[in-house]
């Protein structure tokens, strides 16, 4: 294990974002080894690592997000939180001419890392923001994607993140969420994953106990929600049409 690391402030990310004073405690306490330590970024941000973590399902789940969006994505898209691997680059390659992608993350080193992975001319703007307080105007995005973020957040933050995502997407727009889900009782990974998540990702088992709709704001009551599960129920995609 790495020694705990003081994240500091990255000059690159700081020039492209509103100043944020601190990284949430749940990240520095629970996920410093995955997202904050520079060696973590080098270690995890490779296809082999992300595929091992997702039992070979990385491309399938990434493509499940893309399949819920038009094949040529138009308008303004918001990605909540950076993702290791080629997620953002692939999303960017589906943008129609004139379309844009904004990505927010609360950890500067993650934004720096993503910037390095994108072509210089990509129509992508990176924002150093907290998903629970986006600070964008309401109803400005045509679609938003949230890939494996909700399971990392304590319940109150998860609820606030969903409220913020739904606030910034236009009526008629779409939100696509991919995350963990309670596996089918016959899924052999159930026995292995439960203690692993309990130990390493303490908030993740919330998604085994409840549907994501449980954390949606009241304003989402009129929205249509479609759920698809993958890999014996261990993963889910939720599409919310506002
Ligand atoms: C999308 S999640 C997990 C993705 C998945 N494990 C992967 O990379 O393949 C990881 C990202 O979420 C970011 N993150 C966590 N809490 C956040 C918050 N409150 N606001 C914005 N970004 C956040 C972390 O900094 C990290 O870059």
């Amino acid at each position: 294990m790495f020694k705990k690391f003081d994240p500091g402030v990255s000059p690159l990310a700081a020039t492209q974002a509103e100043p944020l004073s601190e990284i949430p405690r749940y990240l520095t306490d629970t996920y410093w080894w995955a997202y904050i330590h520079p060696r973590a970024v080098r270690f995890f941000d490779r296809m082999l690592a992300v595929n091992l973590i997702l039992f070979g399902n990385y491309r399938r789940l990434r493509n499940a997000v893309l399949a819920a969006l038009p094949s040529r994505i138009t308008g303004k898209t918001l990605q909540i939180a950076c993702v290791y691997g080629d997620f953002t680059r692939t999303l960017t390659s589906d943008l129609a001419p004139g379309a844009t992608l904004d990505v927010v993350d609360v950890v500067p080193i993650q934004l720096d890392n993503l910037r390095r992975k994108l072509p210089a001319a990509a129509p992508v703007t990176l924002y150093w923001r907290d998903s629970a307080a986006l600070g964008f105007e309401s109803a400005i995005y045509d679609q938003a994607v949230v890939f494996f973020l909700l399971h990392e957040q304590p319940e109150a933050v998860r609820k606030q993140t969903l409220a913020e995502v739904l606030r910034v997407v236009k009526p008629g727009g779409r939100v696509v969420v991919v995350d963990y889900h309670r596996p089918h009782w016959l899924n052999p990974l159930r026995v292995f994953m439960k203690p692993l998540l309990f130990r390493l990702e303490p908030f993740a088992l919330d998604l085994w106990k409840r549907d994501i709709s449980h954390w949606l704001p009241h304003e989402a009551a009129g929205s249509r929600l479609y759920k698809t599960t993958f890999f014996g129920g261990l993963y889910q995609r939720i599409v919310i049409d506002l």
Side-chain angles (χ1 to χ4, degrees):
M1 272 296 168
F2 304 124
K3 277 172 66 186
K4 222 167 182 169
F5 171 73
D6 173 5
V9 170
S10 142
L12 171 59
T15 57
Q16 297 176 342
E18 301 252 304
L20 259 183
S21 56
E22 55 187 40
I23 296 174
R25 276 294 293 270
Y26 70 86
L27 273 181
T28 51
D29 286 354
T30 311
Y31 285 105
W32 60 270
W33 54 272
Y35 303 122
I36 298 174
H37 198 292
R39 277 161 64 190
V41 177
R42 285 198 295 276
F43 180 79
F44 287 111
D45 198 2
R46 51 189 85 203
M47 292 308 276
L48 179 66
V50 289
N51 257 311
L52 275 175
I53 291 166
L54 293 175
F55 300 102
N57 286 284
Y58 180 82
R59 283 191 180 81
R60 184 178 181 199
L61 295 169
R62 178 201 67 194
N63 292 346
V65 173
L66 297 176
L69 299 173
S71 54
R72 297 309 279 161
I73 303 167
T74 54
K76 277 167 71 71
T77 303
L78 176 64
Q79 178 187 324
I80 305 283
C82 295
V83 177
Y84 288 144
D86 63 2
F87 183 89
T88 310
R89 208 171 49 230
T90 310
L91 187 58
T92 308
S93 64
D94 277 3
L95 294 179
T100 58
L101 173 67
D102 292 348
V103 184
V104 304
D105 202 287
V106 78
V107 177
I109 195 175
Q110 290 293 333
L111 292 163
D112 287 353
N113 183 50
L114 176 59
R115 173 56 67 201
R116 274 192 292 272
K117 292 194 288 182
L118 293 174
V124 180
T125 308
L126 307 185
Y127 291 91
W128 183 20
R129 303 270 169 107
D130 189 325
S131 62
L134 287 173
F136 297 129
E137 280 175 43
S138 299
I140 57 169
Y141 288 100
D142 297 283
Q143 51 264 321
V145 300
V146 189
F147 192 76
F148 281 99
L149 173 65
L150 299 179
H151 76 277
E152 294 179 351
Q153 300 187 314
E155 191 161 29
V157 182
R158 182 182 312 133
K159 216 171 162 180
Q160 193 54 34
T161 293
L162 284 166
E164 279 292 86
V165 179
L166 267 62
R167 180 183 68 75
V168 300
V169 174
K170 298 172 183 170
R174 175 168 276 195
V175 177
V176 185
V177 177
V178 165
D179 217 307
Y180 283 111
H181 179 265
R182 180 183 55 257
H184 189 271
W185 68 275
L186 282 174
N187 186 332
L189 285 174
R190 194 183 169 105
V191 184
F192 166 75
M193 284 304 286
K194 197 167 184 178
L196 188 81
L197 291 177
F198 181 77
R199 175 80 187 88
L200 288 180
E201 309 212 59
F203 312 112
L205 289 173
D206 290 357
L207 276 73
W208 284 33
K209 293 182 197 135
R210 294 188 188 279
D211 277 338
I212 284 176
S213 58
H214 176 76
W215 298 289
L216 287 175
H218 298 306
E219 296 78 17
S223 314
R224 276 161 301 153
L225 197 143
Y226 310 93
K227 175 162 114 176
T228 312
T229 60
F230 303 87
F231 205 55
L234 182 59
Y235 308 114
Q236 63 182 318
R237 179 188 68 187
I238 300 290
V239 176
I240 307 166
D241 282 340
L242 303 182

